[in-house]
Amino acid sequence: MTPTDMETQRRQLIDFLKGCRARLSPTDVGLPNTSRRRTPGLRREDVAAIAGVSVTWYTWLEQGRDIQVSADVLERISGTLRLSPDEREYLFALVQHRPAPPAATHAQDISPSLAHMLKAVAVPALVMTSRWDVIAWNDYTKIFRDYSELAADKRNLLRILLIEDESYQRDPEQYQAMARRVLSRFRVDYSQTPGHPTFEELIADLAAHSPIFRQLWNSPEVMTRSEGVGRYPHLGGVSFEHSSYVPEGMPTLRLVIYVPHDPQTVTKIAAWRAQRNSQ
């Protein structure tokens, strides 16, 4: 990064933090709004006190000085300034020159455009959180299961694959291969939000009810790309190739799309389309 680039980013940080401070009133953050305040918005002292840092340190940050800033402190400042998810990402990019850590959530809404895309795709597709909670899906996923018939707290894909849907356990070899694959990916998701209560709750549940989870969870295998071919003997031997994508601006979500892998599955999808269109 050139000196000019560094100065430009420094100026962006200064303007951004000042602007975020100015748009908040003391009452927005639980402080009294006294007549002695000469300028609108929060003072640096207010932000520092609420975020749990010294006034001097926060002043240096707002001046764009070259100081060490931890992710934990940035999270506290983001909360104090009531930053939106996009603004939080922007702050991390300006200060640490990297994306913000994913903020784990038990449930999350999807955008209208993503919902429309799900409906338009003529193959099975779903959206899940980094905790593997399925929060949206299209009609074609009924080839596997009807998520609308499951209670919201039962739509966790790991629980379904490893515990709830016993059809996956009919072939022990394929079941273990599937479990190794999904847990290799889930380890990466968990590593980005260690200690989060909802993740710990899920892991404890899996450990209590899934022998294969207990057998494989401490394996060192990891996989950052969620791709592969799944074969489903209990569904008539169909095969789907699946891949996942992170929707722009929604880093804690993944869109998973299942594409027919062989002619038999293409035929089954075509029959499903015809049945759906005739209803």
Side-chain angles (χ1 to χ4, degrees), residues 233-247:
H234 59 288
L235 298 177
V238 295
S239 299
F240 285 89
E241 183 174 356
H242 67 270
S243 55
S244 67
Y245 309 87
V246 177

Side-chain angles (χ1 to χ4, degrees), residues 189-256:
D189 295 329
Y190 174 70
S191 71
Q192 296 174 342
T193 51
H196 194 281
T198 61
F199 272 79
E200 299 301 331
E201 175 189 356
L202 174 61
I203 289 171
D205 189 31
L206 292 170
H209 297 98
S210 172
I212 201 164
F213 178 86
R214 294 194 296 271
Q215 174 190 342
L216 298 177
W217 177 237
N218 292 323
S219 166
E221 295 177 276
V222 294
M223 180 170 59
T224 57
R225 298 178 63 182
S226 184
E227 297 180 344
V229 176
R231 306 185 189 282
Y232 304 87
H234 59 288
L235 298 177
V238 295
S239 299
F240 285 89
E241 183 174 356
H242 67 270
S243 55
S244 67
Y245 309 87
V246 177
E248 186 176 14
M250 293 176 277
T252 62
L253 299 184
R254 283 212 303 278
L255 167 67
V256 185

Side-chain angles (χ1 to χ4, degrees), residues 108-118 127 247-248 250 253:
Q108 188 171 333
D109 294 330
I110 66 171
S111 67
S113 61
L114 184 55
H116 294 157
M117 191 279 292
L118 267 182
V127 176
E248 186 176 14
M250 293 176 277
L253 299 184

Side-chain angles (χ1 to χ4, degrees), residues 256-268:
V256 185
I257 298 177
Y258 299 82
V259 179
H261 184 65
D262 55 24
Q264 180 182 357
T265 308
V266 171
T267 301
K268 188 174 184 68

Side-chain angles (χ1 to χ4, degrees), residues 19-260:
C20 291
R21 235 186 344 108
R23 73 186 180 187
L24 291 173
S25 70
T27 55
D28 290 333
V29 296
L31 296 175
N33 193 1
T34 66
S35 58
R36 289 178 294 176
R37 290 177 177 265
R38 293 179 303 218
T39 57
L42 298 181
R43 298 173 299 191
R44 287 174 177 169
E45 300 96 301
D46 299 329
V47 177
I50 297 171
V53 298
S54 72
V55 177
T56 300
W57 186 92
Y58 181 76
T59 299
W60 288 349
L61 174 67
E62 197 172 280
Q63 291 173 344
R65 295 199 189 187
D66 186 14
I67 58 175
Q68 294 296 316
V69 186
S70 69
D72 178 63
V73 170
L74 281 184
E75 294 286 15
R76 298 204 303 267
I77 291 171
S78 296
T80 299
L81 294 175
R82 305 295 195 266
L83 301 188
S84 69
D86 288 343
E87 290 168 338
R88 172 178 170 268
E89 286 284 337
Y90 184 59
L91 179 61
F92 270 83
L94 288 176
V95 177
Q96 294 192 337
H97 311 295
R98 68 177 181 89
T105 53
H106 189 68
Q108 188 171 333
D109 294 330
I110 66 171
S111 67
S113 61
L114 184 55
H116 294 157
M117 191 279 292
L118 267 182
K119 187 175 181 180
V121 173
V123 292
L126 57 84
V127 176
M128 67 181 189
T129 69
S130 56
R131 187 183 179 268
W132 292 50
D133 293 313
V134 177
I135 60 172
W137 56 90
N138 64 12
D139 282 349
Y140 288 96
T141 59
K142 290 180 180 178
I143 292 175
F144 306 123
R145 67 191 57 85
D146 189 347
Y147 285 102
S148 64
E149 294 184 350
L150 300 176
D153 61 350
K154 300 296 184 183
R155 294 175 189 152
N156 181 270
L157 193 55
L158 277 178
R159 277 193 54 85
I160 291 170
L161 295 176
L162 299 183
I163 302 175
E164 302 293 344
D165 193 338
E166 296 182 355
S167 61
Y168 289 97
Q169 303 176 34
R170 293 176 184 172
D171 185 325
E173 185 176 342
Q174 287 194 13
Y175 177 57
Q176 182 162 72
M178 179 271 294
R180 295 178 75 94
R181 185 176 69 250
V182 299
L183 290 177
S184 295
R185 176 59 185 145
F186 181 65
R187 284 188 196 93
V188 176
D189 295 329
Y190 174 70
S191 71
Q192 296 174 342
T193 51
H196 194 281
T198 61
F199 272 79
E200 299 301 331
E201 175 189 356
L202 174 61
I203 289 171
D205 189 31
L206 292 170
H209 297 98
S210 172
I212 201 164
F213 178 86
R214 294 194 296 271
Q215 174 190 342
L216 298 177
W217 177 237
N218 292 323
S219 166
E221 295 177 276
V222 294
M223 180 170 59
T224 57
R225 298 178 63 182
S226 184
E227 297 180 344
V229 176
R231 306 185 189 282
Y232 304 87
H234 59 288
L235 298 177
V238 295
S239 299
F240 285 89
E241 183 174 356
H242 67 270
S243 55
S244 67
Y245 309 87
V246 177
E248 186 176 14
M250 293 176 277
T252 62
L253 299 184
R254 283 212 303 278
L255 167 67
V256 185
I257 298 177
Y258 299 82
V259 179

